[in-house]
Amino acid sequence: MRFTLLSALAFAALAFAHPAAAQVTRVQSNPQALILDGADVKAGTDLFYLSGQLASPIDPAKTFADVKSIEDLGDTKAQTISALAKIKSILEARGYAMSDVIKLTLFVVADPKLGKMDFAGANEGFKQFFKTAENPNTVARSTFQVAALAGPYFLIEIEAVAAKKR
């Protein structure tokens, strides 16, 4: 009993002298699944919350004012890739990487050609950034079909949360 108490006190002293490293544990019951069950983020971890990102026009010379059709932004897959590329750029500017992303929320509008959200197209775009050779990680994710986004030709908006060790 005395040894156990001394061991516990010694461990506690070390813990205060050297705080435990921040930790992100990705929980995935099925390694073949495209997304995580969840992510456990311990205290002492830096978190970065990104606002929803929309696709940019396919033609970089165009502004949002020049967008007159879905074709100016692309289908759901193309818009997903564009929005995730923006997220990647924002993360990198802050010292994060796509591998630090732990949670995505996808807001998807019905594609007029399908009459419903293009879930498969969103997943195809997603696969360009997650579970790849460059980024073997994946994320916890929720996907919602919504009635509309900020403009009539946007098919997807993506929010992200990134976490990394300090």
Side-chain angles (χ1 to χ4, degrees):
M1 172 89 161
R2 185 176 173 173
F3 177 75
T4 304
L5 181 59
L6 288 174
S7 295
L9 289 172
F11 178 77
L14 284 173
F16 287 113
H18 304 288
Q23 183 178 352
V24 175
T25 304
R26 294 167 189 275
V27 180
Q28 188 169 33
S29 57
N30 176 359
Q32 304 307 313
L34 187 59
I35 63 173
L36 300 174
D37 296 334
D40 185 10
V41 180
K42 300 295 183 197
T45 302
D46 287 336
L47 292 171
F48 184 45
Y49 295 84
L50 286 84
S51 296
Q53 298 300 312
L54 297 163
S56 295
I58 292 173
D59 180 349
K62 288 188 174 184
T63 67
F64 285 116
D66 299 322
V67 172
K68 304 296 182 211
S69 70
I70 288 176
E71 287 71 26
D72 289 330
L73 296 169
D75 62 10
T76 301
K77 177 182 176 182
Q79 289 193 32
T80 301
I81 292 168
S82 179
L84 288 171
K86 285 172 116 177
I87 288 169
K88 182 179 181 181
S89 179
I90 293 167
L91 288 169
E92 288 173 350
R94 302 280 309 164
Y96 289 79
M98 288 301 275
S99 59
D100 295 319
V101 175
I102 58 166
K103 174 73 168 100
L104 290 177
T105 305
L106 283 60
F107 302 96
V108 187
V109 173
D111 183 325
K113 294 177 185 172
L114 300 176
K116 62 181 182 175
M117 75 170 164
D118 183 3
F119 188 69
N123 278 339
E124 287 304 310
F126 175 86
K127 290 177 189 177
Q128 303 291 313
F129 294 86
F130 299 97
K131 287 201 150 188
T132 65
E134 181 183 339
N135 177 19
N137 291 335
T138 192
V139 299
R141 190 181 88 183
S142 298
T143 304
F144 301 92
Q145 181 170 331
V146 296
L149 293 169
Y153 308 115
F154 293 109
L155 297 175
I156 190 164
E157 181 172 343
I158 303 174
E159 294 179 345
V161 178
K164 70 176 186 170
K165 293 180 181 181
R166 285 198 174 131

PDB file of all heavy atoms in Angstrom, residues 75-94:
ATOM      1  N   ASP A  75     -19.660  20.171 -60.784  1.00  0.00           N
ATOM      2  CA  ASP A  75     -20.592  19.283 -60.100  1.00  0.00           C
ATOM      3  C   ASP A  75     -20.174  19.125 -58.637  1.00  0.00           C
ATOM      4  O   ASP A  75     -19.208  19.744 -58.171  1.00  0.00           O
ATOM      5  CB  ASP A  75     -20.682  17.939 -60.822  1.00  0.00           C
ATOM      6  CG  ASP A  75     -19.363  17.178 -60.864  1.00  0.00           C
ATOM      7  OD1 ASP A  75     -18.377  17.563 -60.186  1.00  0.00           O
ATOM      8  OD2 ASP A  75     -19.291  16.173 -61.591  1.00  0.00           O
ATOM      9  N   THR A  76     -20.882  18.300 -57.902  1.00  0.00           N
ATOM     10  CA  THR A  76     -20.612  18.140 -56.471  1.00  0.00           C
ATOM     11  C   THR A  76     -19.180  17.669 -56.225  1.00  0.00           C
ATOM     12  O   THR A  76     -18.503  18.166 -55.318  1.00  0.00           O
ATOM     13  CB  THR A  76     -21.622  17.172 -55.824  1.00  0.00           C
ATOM     14  OG1 THR A  76     -22.940  17.699 -56.012  1.00  0.00           O
ATOM     15  CG2 THR A  76     -21.356  16.997 -54.342  1.00  0.00           C
ATOM     16  N   LYS A  77     -18.697  16.725 -57.010  1.00  0.00           N
ATOM     17  CA  LYS A  77     -17.326  16.247 -56.841  1.00  0.00           C
ATOM     18  C   LYS A  77     -16.334  17.395 -57.033  1.00  0.00           C
ATOM     19  O   LYS A  77     -15.448  17.602 -56.196  1.00  0.00           O
ATOM     20  CB  LYS A  77     -17.014  15.117 -57.821  1.00  0.00           C
ATOM     21  CG  LYS A  77     -15.575  14.634 -57.723  1.00  0.00           C
ATOM     22  CD  LYS A  77     -15.269  13.535 -58.743  1.00  0.00           C
ATOM     23  CE  LYS A  77     -13.794  13.142 -58.693  1.00  0.00           C
ATOM     24  NZ  LYS A  77     -13.486  12.117 -59.697  1.00  0.00           N
ATOM     25  N   ALA A  78     -16.479  18.145 -58.113  1.00  0.00           N
ATOM     26  CA  ALA A  78     -15.561  19.260 -58.391  1.00  0.00           C
ATOM     27  C   ALA A  78     -15.643  20.323 -57.295  1.00  0.00           C
ATOM     28  O   ALA A  78     -14.612  20.858 -56.861  1.00  0.00           O
ATOM     29  CB  ALA A  78     -15.879  19.871 -59.753  1.00  0.00           C
ATOM     30  N   GLN A  79     -16.857  20.619 -56.835  1.00  0.00           N
ATOM     31  CA  GLN A  79     -17.010  21.622 -55.777  1.00  0.00           C
ATOM     32  C   GLN A  79     -16.436  21.121 -54.451  1.00  0.00           C
ATOM     33  O   GLN A  79     -15.862  21.904 -53.684  1.00  0.00           O
ATOM     34  CB  GLN A  79     -18.474  22.025 -55.629  1.00  0.00           C
ATOM     35  CG  GLN A  79     -18.976  22.857 -56.792  1.00  0.00           C
ATOM     36  CD  GLN A  79     -20.305  23.520 -56.508  1.00  0.00           C
ATOM     37  OE1 GLN A  79     -20.614  23.880 -55.374  1.00  0.00           O
ATOM     38  NE2 GLN A  79     -21.110  23.685 -57.554  1.00  0.00           N
ATOM     39  N   THR A  80     -16.565  19.839 -54.180  1.00  0.00           N
ATOM     40  CA  THR A  80     -15.976  19.262 -52.969  1.00  0.00           C
ATOM     41  C   THR A  80     -14.461  19.413 -53.005  1.00  0.00           C
ATOM     42  O   THR A  80     -13.839  19.843 -52.014  1.00  0.00           O
ATOM     43  CB  THR A  80     -16.371  17.777 -52.818  1.00  0.00           C
ATOM     44  OG1 THR A  80     -17.794  17.681 -52.754  1.00  0.00           O
ATOM     45  CG2 THR A  80     -15.750  17.149 -51.588  1.00  0.00           C
ATOM     46  N   ILE A  81     -13.861  19.076 -54.123  1.00  0.00           N
ATOM     47  CA  ILE A  81     -12.405  19.197 -54.269  1.00  0.00           C
ATOM     48  C   ILE A  81     -11.977  20.654 -54.100  1.00  0.00           C
ATOM     49  O   ILE A  81     -10.999  20.950 -53.397  1.00  0.00           O
ATOM     50  CB  ILE A  81     -11.952  18.616 -55.625  1.00  0.00           C
ATOM     51  CG1 ILE A  81     -12.151  17.095 -55.623  1.00  0.00           C
ATOM     52  CG2 ILE A  81     -10.500  18.986 -55.926  1.00  0.00           C
ATOM     53  CD1 ILE A  81     -12.020  16.449 -56.996  1.00  0.00           C
ATOM     54  N   SER A  82     -12.719  21.578 -54.694  1.00  0.00           N
ATOM     55  CA  SER A  82     -12.392  22.995 -54.575  1.00  0.00           C
ATOM     56  C   SER A  82     -12.488  23.478 -53.135  1.00  0.00           C
ATOM     57  O   SER A  82     -11.589  24.162 -52.631  1.00  0.00           O
ATOM     58  CB  SER A  82     -13.325  23.815 -55.475  1.00  0.00           C
ATOM     59  OG  SER A  82     -13.055  25.183 -55.371  1.00  0.00           O
ATOM     60  N   ALA A  83     -13.574  23.127 -52.442  1.00  0.00           N
ATOM     61  CA  ALA A  83     -13.746  23.561 -51.051  1.00  0.00           C
ATOM     62  C   ALA A  83     -12.669  22.952 -50.153  1.00  0.00           C
ATOM     63  O   ALA A  83     -12.111  23.636 -49.287  1.00  0.00           O
ATOM     64  CB  ALA A  83     -15.142  23.184 -50.551  1.00  0.00           C
ATOM     65  N   LEU A  84     -12.350  21.669 -50.358  1.00  0.00           N
ATOM     66  CA  LEU A  84     -11.306  21.033 -49.546  1.00  0.00           C
ATOM     67  C   LEU A  84      -9.927  21.611 -49.861  1.00  0.00           C
ATOM     68  O   LEU A  84      -9.079  21.718 -48.966  1.00  0.00           O
ATOM     69  CB  LEU A  84     -11.333  19.522 -49.722  1.00  0.00           C
ATOM     70  CG  LEU A  84     -12.522  18.815 -49.061  1.00  0.00           C
ATOM     71  CD1 LEU A  84     -12.578  17.343 -49.471  1.00  0.00           C
ATOM     72  CD2 LEU A  84     -12.469  18.950 -47.534  1.00  0.00           C
ATOM     73  N   ALA A  85      -9.690  22.001 -51.091  1.00  0.00           N
ATOM     74  CA  ALA A  85      -8.414  22.659 -51.436  1.00  0.00           C
ATOM     75  C   ALA A  85      -8.301  23.996 -50.712  1.00  0.00           C
ATOM     76  O   ALA A  85      -7.211  24.362 -50.241  1.00  0.00           O
ATOM     77  CB  ALA A  85      -8.311  22.842 -52.946  1.00  0.00           C
ATOM     78  N   LYS A  86      -9.404  24.734 -50.591  1.00  0.00           N
ATOM     79  CA  LYS A  86      -9.395  25.985 -49.826  1.00  0.00           C
ATOM     80  C   LYS A  86      -9.100  25.709 -48.360  1.00  0.00           C
ATOM     81  O   LYS A  86      -8.312  26.414 -47.727  1.00  0.00           O
ATOM     82  CB  LYS A  86     -10.742  26.702 -49.953  1.00  0.00           C
ATOM     83  CG  LYS A  86     -10.967  27.383 -51.277  1.00  0.00           C
ATOM     84  CD  LYS A  86     -12.386  27.869 -51.356  1.00  0.00           C
ATOM     85  CE  LYS A  86     -12.485  29.358 -51.434  1.00  0.00           C
ATOM     86  NZ  LYS A  86     -13.908  29.792 -51.592  1.00  0.00           N
ATOM     87  N   ILE A  87      -9.729  24.665 -47.820  1.00  0.00           N
ATOM     88  CA  ILE A  87      -9.493  24.294 -46.429  1.00  0.00           C
ATOM     89  C   ILE A  87      -8.025  23.944 -46.230  1.00  0.00           C
ATOM     90  O   ILE A  87      -7.386  24.394 -45.272  1.00  0.00           O
ATOM     91  CB  ILE A  87     -10.426  23.133 -46.004  1.00  0.00           C
ATOM     92  CG1 ILE A  87     -11.867  23.664 -45.881  1.00  0.00           C
ATOM     93  CG2 ILE A  87      -9.952  22.453 -44.730  1.00  0.00           C
ATOM     94  CD1 ILE A  87     -12.924  22.603 -45.727  1.00  0.00           C
ATOM     95  N   LYS A  88      -7.468  23.181 -47.144  1.00  0.00           N
ATOM     96  CA  LYS A  88      -6.053  22.806 -47.066  1.00  0.00           C
ATOM     97  C   LYS A  88      -5.167  24.045 -47.049  1.00  0.00           C
ATOM     98  O   LYS A  88      -4.230  24.143 -46.245  1.00  0.00           O
ATOM     99  CB  LYS A  88      -5.690  21.899 -48.242  1.00  0.00           C
ATOM    100  CG  LYS A  88      -4.250  21.431 -48.224  1.00  0.00           C
ATOM    101  CD  LYS A  88      -3.954  20.509 -49.396  1.00  0.00           C
ATOM    102  CE  LYS A  88      -2.499  20.038 -49.335  1.00  0.00           C
ATOM    103  NZ  LYS A  88      -2.156  19.177 -50.459  1.00  0.00           N
ATOM    104  N   SER A  89      -5.454  25.000 -47.899  1.00  0.00           N
ATOM    105  CA  SER A  89      -4.668  26.232 -47.972  1.00  0.00           C
ATOM    106  C   SER A  89      -4.763  27.044 -46.676  1.00  0.00           C
ATOM    107  O   SER A  89      -3.750  27.546 -46.164  1.00  0.00           O
ATOM    108  CB  SER A  89      -5.154  27.066 -49.161  1.00  0.00           C
ATOM    109  OG  SER A  89      -4.447  28.266 -49.246  1.00  0.00           O
ATOM    110  N   ILE A  90      -5.963  27.159 -46.137  1.00  0.00           N
ATOM    111  CA  ILE A  90      -6.159  27.886 -44.878  1.00  0.00           C
ATOM    112  C   ILE A  90      -5.403  27.195 -43.750  1.00  0.00           C
ATOM    113  O   ILE A  90      -4.733  27.845 -42.944  1.00  0.00           O
ATOM    114  CB  ILE A  90      -7.658  28.016 -44.546  1.00  0.00           C
ATOM    115  CG1 ILE A  90      -8.347  28.918 -45.572  1.00  0.00           C
ATOM    116  CG2 ILE A  90      -7.866  28.535 -43.132  1.00  0.00           C
ATOM    117  CD1 ILE A  90      -9.869  28.863 -45.531  1.00  0.00           C
ATOM    118  N   LEU A  91      -5.510  25.872 -43.694  1.00  0.00           N
ATOM    119  CA  LEU A  91      -4.803  25.114 -42.657  1.00  0.00           C
ATOM    120  C   LEU A  91      -3.293  25.329 -42.751  1.00  0.00           C
ATOM    121  O   LEU A  91      -2.634  25.587 -41.745  1.00  0.00           O
ATOM    122  CB  LEU A  91      -5.116  23.620 -42.786  1.00  0.00           C
ATOM    123  CG  LEU A  91      -6.510  23.178 -42.370  1.00  0.00           C
ATOM    124  CD1 LEU A  91      -6.757  21.737 -42.814  1.00  0.00           C
ATOM    125  CD2 LEU A  91      -6.712  23.328 -40.877  1.00  0.00           C
ATOM    126  N   GLU A  92      -2.746  25.192 -43.946  1.00  0.00           N
ATOM    127  CA  GLU A  92      -1.307  25.323 -44.124  1.00  0.00           C
ATOM    128  C   GLU A  92      -0.819  26.708 -43.728  1.00  0.00           C
ATOM    129  O   GLU A  92       0.265  26.846 -43.153  1.00  0.00           O
ATOM    130  CB  GLU A  92      -0.918  24.985 -45.563  1.00  0.00           C
ATOM    131  CG  GLU A  92      -1.039  23.493 -45.842  1.00  0.00           C
ATOM    132  CD  GLU A  92      -0.831  23.108 -47.303  1.00  0.00           C
ATOM    133  OE1 GLU A  92      -0.771  24.019 -48.188  1.00  0.00           O
ATOM    134  OE2 GLU A  92      -0.739  21.902 -47.567  1.00  0.00           O
ATOM    135  N   ALA A  93      -1.616  27.740 -43.984  1.00  0.00           N
ATOM    136  CA  ALA A  93      -1.251  29.104 -43.600  1.00  0.00           C
ATOM    137  C   ALA A  93      -1.177  29.263 -42.080  1.00  0.00           C
ATOM    138  O   ALA A  93      -0.489  30.148 -41.577  1.00  0.00           O
ATOM    139  CB  ALA A  93      -2.239  30.108 -44.188  1.00  0.00           C
ATOM    140  N   ARG A  94      -1.866  28.379 -41.350  1.00  0.00           N
ATOM    141  CA  ARG A  94      -1.880  28.425 -39.882  1.00  0.00           C
ATOM    142  C   ARG A  94      -0.982  27.360 -39.255  1.00  0.00           C
ATOM    143  O   ARG A  94      -1.007  27.154 -38.044  1.00  0.00           O
ATOM    144  CB  ARG A  94      -3.317  28.227 -39.375  1.00  0.00           C
ATOM    145  CG  ARG A  94      -4.326  29.222 -39.888  1.00  0.00           C
ATOM    146  CD  ARG A  94      -4.331  30.525 -39.203  1.00  0.00           C
ATOM    147  NE  ARG A  94      -4.413  30.323 -37.760  1.00  0.00           N
ATOM    148  CZ  ARG A  94      -4.133  31.262 -36.879  1.00  0.00           C
ATOM    149  NH1 ARG A  94      -3.770  32.437 -37.266  1.00  0.00           N
ATOM    150  NH2 ARG A  94      -4.220  31.027 -35.592  1.00  0.00           N
TER     151      ARG A  94
END
